[in-house]
Amino acid sequence: MTEPTHDEAHGGGLASRLNWLRAAVLGANDGIVSTAGLVVGVAGATDDRAALLTAGLAGLLAGSMSMAAGEYVSVSTQRDSEKAALALEKRELREQPEAELEELADLLEGRGLSREVAREAAVQLTERDALRAHARVELGIDPDELANPWHAAGASFLAFTVGALLPLLAIVLPSADWRLGVTVGSVLVALAVTGWSSARLGAARPGGAVLRNMAGGALAMGVTYGAGALLGAAGV
């Protein structure tokens, strides 16, 4: 008789994957809303397919590059901070090992271990890998999984692009009579999906997130369409 297996993921790896999934959902959501607002606004002023395609592509490229650059800068700063914290911890371990051992024991005791068990665990962890122990327990950093700015930038670029493609294709592929309705309908459906996904990843009830997401997208499209229609009527 075989023993049942337990494949549930634990620890920082699971948290890291969930963070990446949330970032991907939010990036796609940004691509949907910003590009939809742009192309619907242009559609309020003109029904020229070339103008809509040009505006949509410009919005997609500008938005995806902006997201990637912003994420790269942000995560690079985070990585620099993590490396600086690890370097400082390494120096402290070299200069005052006993004080660092006591600090680790105090941290473990604060997590619910008895003083004796905390002290013994701190000794064993220090003997095995002192820097890794302090990085994880004291700093909340996994030295093997430091933030990667290139991965973050690439993921943001891809997520935004995927999201932006939906309103872009929806506005240029149908005929002039159908394109606005198709775009609005497909965007609202997509926003419902991203709202539901973000809520489920955060272990929250999806109803409110879906409604907020759809309402925000509808408002953005309504405002930009109104502005475009006014400019088109004025002959601008």
Coordinates of all heavy atoms in Angstrom, one line a residue, residues 80-95 131 135 139 141:
D80 N 19.1 46.1 -4.9 CA 20.3 46.8 -4.3 C 20.1 46.8 -2.8 O 21.1 46.6 -2.0 CB 20.4 48.2 -4.9 CG 20.8 48.2 -6.3 OD1 21.3 47.2 -6.8 OD2 20.6 49.2 -7.0
S81 N 18.9 47.0 -2.3 CA 18.6 47.1 -0.9 C 18.8 45.7 -0.2 O 19.4 45.6 0.9 CB 17.2 47.6 -0.6 OG 17.0 48.9 -1.1
E82 N 18.4 44.7 -0.9 CA 18.6 43.3 -0.4 C 20.1 43.0 -0.3 O 20.5 42.4 0.7 CB 17.8 42.3 -1.3 CG 16.3 42.4 -1.2 CD 15.7 41.5 -2.2 OE1 16.3 41.0 -3.2 OE2 14.5 41.2 -2.1
K83 N 20.8 43.3 -1.3 CA 22.3 43.0 -1.3 C 23.0 43.8 -0.3 O 23.9 43.3 0.4 CB 22.8 43.3 -2.7 CG 22.4 42.3 -3.8 CD 22.8 42.7 -5.2 CE 24.3 42.5 -5.4 NZ 24.7 42.8 -6.8
A84 N 22.6 45.1 -0.1 CA 23.2 45.9 1.0 C 22.9 45.3 2.4 O 23.8 45.3 3.2 CB 22.7 47.3 0.9
A85 N 21.7 44.9 2.6 CA 21.3 44.3 3.9 C 22.1 43.0 4.1 O 22.5 42.8 5.3 CB 19.8 44.0 3.9
L86 N 22.3 42.2 3.1 CA 23.0 41.0 3.3 C 24.5 41.3 3.6 O 25.1 40.6 4.4 CB 22.9 40.1 2.0 CG 21.5 39.5 1.8 CD1 21.5 38.8 0.4 CD2 21.2 38.4 2.9
A87 N 25.0 42.3 2.9 CA 26.4 42.7 3.1 C 26.6 43.1 4.6 O 27.6 42.8 5.2 CB 26.9 43.7 2.1
L88 N 25.7 43.9 5.1 CA 25.8 44.4 6.4 C 25.7 43.3 7.4 O 26.4 43.2 8.4 CB 24.6 45.4 6.7 CG 24.5 46.0 8.1 CD1 25.8 46.7 8.5 CD2 23.3 46.9 8.2
E89 N 24.8 42.3 7.2 CA 24.6 41.2 8.0 C 25.8 40.3 8.0 O 26.3 39.8 9.1 CB 23.4 40.4 7.6 CG 22.9 39.4 8.6 CD 22.4 40.1 9.9 OE1 21.7 41.2 9.7 OE2 22.6 39.5 11.0
K90 N 26.5 40.2 6.9 CA 27.7 39.4 6.8 C 28.8 40.0 7.6 O 29.6 39.3 8.3 CB 28.1 39.3 5.3 CG 29.3 38.3 5.1 CD 29.6 38.2 3.6 CE 30.7 37.2 3.3 NZ 31.0 37.1 1.9
R91 N 28.9 41.4 7.6 CA 29.9 42.0 8.3 C 29.7 41.9 9.8 O 30.6 41.7 10.6 CB 30.0 43.5 8.0 CG 31.2 44.3 8.6 CD 31.2 45.7 8.2 NE 30.3 46.5 8.8 CZ 29.4 47.3 8.2 NH1 29.4 47.4 6.9 NH2 28.6 48.1 8.9
E92 N 28.4 42.0 10.2 CA 28.1 41.9 11.7 C 28.3 40.5 12.2 O 28.8 40.3 13.3 CB 26.6 42.2 11.9 CG 26.3 43.7 11.7 CD 24.8 44.0 11.8 OE1 24.0 43.1 11.7 OE2 24.5 45.2 12.0
L93 N 28.1 39.5 11.3 CA 28.4 38.1 11.7 C 29.9 37.9 11.9 O 30.3 37.1 12.8 CB 27.8 37.1 10.7 CG 26.3 36.9 10.7 CD1 25.9 36.2 9.4 CD2 25.9 36.1 11.9
R94 N 30.7 38.6 11.1 CA 32.1 38.4 11.2 C 32.7 39.2 12.4 O 33.6 38.7 13.1 CB 32.8 39.0 9.9 CG 34.3 38.8 9.9 CD 34.9 39.3 8.5 NE 34.6 40.7 8.3 CZ 33.8 41.2 7.4 NH1 33.1 40.4 6.6 NH2 33.6 42.5 7.2
E95 N 32.1 40.4 12.7 CA 32.7 41.2 13.8 C 32.1 40.9 15.1 O 32.8 41.1 16.1 CB 32.4 42.7 13.4 CG 33.1 43.1 12.2 CD 32.8 44.6 11.8 OE1 31.8 45.1 12.4 OE2 33.4 45.1 10.9
L131 N 24.7 33.1 7.7 CA 24.2 34.2 6.9 C 22.8 33.9 6.4 O 21.9 34.7 6.4 CB 25.1 34.5 5.7 CG 24.7 35.7 4.8 CD1 24.5 37.0 5.6 CD2 25.7 35.9 3.6
A135 N 19.4 35.9 7.2 CA 18.7 36.5 6.1 C 17.3 36.1 6.1 O 16.4 37.0 5.9 CB 19.4 36.1 4.8
L139 N 15.9 39.2 8.2 CA 15.6 40.1 7.1 C 14.4 39.7 6.3 O 13.9 40.5 5.5 CB 16.9 40.2 6.3 CG 18.2 40.6 7.0 CD1 19.3 40.6 6.0 CD2 18.0 42.0 7.7
I141 N 14.7 37.6 3.8 CA 15.3 37.5 2.4 C 15.8 36.1 2.2 O 16.4 35.5 3.0 CB 16.4 38.5 2.3 CG1 15.9 40.0 2.4 CG2 17.1 38.4 0.9 CD1 17.1 41.0 2.4

